[in-house]
Amino acid sequence: MAYIVPPKYVRHILVTLQSHGHQAFLVGGSTRDMLLGRVPLDWDISTSALPEQVMEIFPDCEATGLKHGTVTVKINSRSAEVTTFRSEGSYTDHRHPDMVSFVGDLTTDLSRRDFTMNAIAFSPDGLMADPFDGCTDIENRLIRAVGLPQLRFQEDALRMFRAVRFSARLGFEIEQETLDAIKIKAHLAAEVAAERVRDEIEKILLSPAPEKVFDLIEYGLMDSYLLSRPDHITDGGALSKLPRKKALYRWTCLCAVLEHYGCIESAESFLTALKMDKRRIRLCTDAAFILTTSIPETTVEWKRLLNKYGVDSVSCAAAVGDVLKHDEPYTKELKSILKSGECFSLKHLAVTGDDLMTLGLSGRELGEMLQFLLDYVMEFPQFNQHDLLLSLAKGTEE
Ligand code: ATP
Ligand code: MG
């Protein structure tokens, strides 16, 4: 297998730990990604050194998860997580171990990890520990639970979401027994905190295979957030046609599809249950609402929407509309309106509230007049001129 070489600072941490008489290995996603020839998102190091010993060896560090034995070590402003070999006690809440204990051996540490591909250790001198045959699974592109899959999901239900997330990110299949266990233990997904579920969904939505989010639904992992499971979703492919950097476009698309199939009451209720922040909920809800109720047919209708919901929500609705309604040129039309510079908000109206005050208007009357002028200008953009609008206001008043 072709693999990526860890950067100098990571090798420095490993070698320094070894020179102090400790064992030190790259583990988890770092080793998996290196073996896949991908640059890891973060560098995880596992060591026999206790957290206090790690902190003594590397003064520039932060005790980021002492309870779990994790210390973040910084070398010239770059960092890696160094975690002491550990084993985990029982899991009463199907999510967190009741206790963790530090252990002296690597194999015990590897056996607490979720999937065989994430349970390979790699030392700087090229030594590899692969007690669960993760390399073979990587070669065969398989996600397989370490140990008994049902037991592992019973311990920590988040692992089921991680399995689907890795299948979306890496394009791997979930091995049959592991998949069967997910379907059997899916009800435990209700025990996972909404924020964690939301983060896993977002990672899937931003992966090269965002449609795998519907696997979560098919396996029953989303039951506590849905009114029902859809029989067969045909427009899942729309998600991957949306730009990868636009998480909210993909969320809106997901909401629109789920709403269409009657699986959720509204984008707002679904995203609120997932504890998304208020600003993002507003944007997705407005965009999903535009999509399901009022995709415009004329330029004036677009401008009215821009005025009511703002550019971000309307752009999102247009982009999702394009992919869901089979390449309707909504985005193209919207872009040309935005490019034209035509007025759709009070900010760009050629008269202001102060101008109208000079005509003796105030309070509600003034507000209504501004809205009237804005409506007028949205329909007749060529009349967005100061004097003209002022005389129109005067005329209307009289
Ligand atoms: P990513 O590329 O997203 O960082 P990762 O596999 O590195 O993926 P992390 O969340 O960084 O995931 O976790 C590092 C390692 O810790 C994993 O590879 C796995 O070995 C172990 N791990 C993480 N979460 C769990 C879990 N819920 N149960 C068991 N092992 C876990
Ligand atoms: Mg990682």
Side-chain angles (χ1 to χ4, degrees), residues 72-87:
T72 302
V73 173
K74 289 191 198 131
I75 309 282
N76 299 333
S77 78
R78 304 185 72 189
S79 60
E81 291 210 332
V82 180
T83 307
T84 304
F85 293 159
R86 65 175 212 230
S87 70

Side-chain angles (χ1 to χ4, degrees), residues 100-151:
V100 303
S101 35
F102 301 134
V103 293
D105 85 293
L106 175 68
T107 308
T108 308
D109 181 82
L110 293 177
S111 65
R112 71 161 173 97
R113 294 176 182 271
D114 48 6
F115 305 111
T116 60
M117 63 180 185
N118 291 342
I120 306 169
F122 194 83
S123 80
D125 35 29
L127 262 181
M128 183 116 82
D130 181 15
F132 306 104
D133 218 2
C135 285
T136 309
D137 283 334
I138 290 180
E139 260 171 57
N140 295 327
R141 308 176 70 75
L142 278 180
I143 298 164
R144 183 194 306 272
V146 169
L148 298 171
Q150 287 197 42
L151 183 67

Side-chain angles (χ1 to χ4, degrees), residues 29 42 47 79 155 234 244 376 391:
D42 41 36
T47 180
S79 60
E155 285 172 353
T234 52
R244 213 148 135 204
Y376 183 77
S391 33

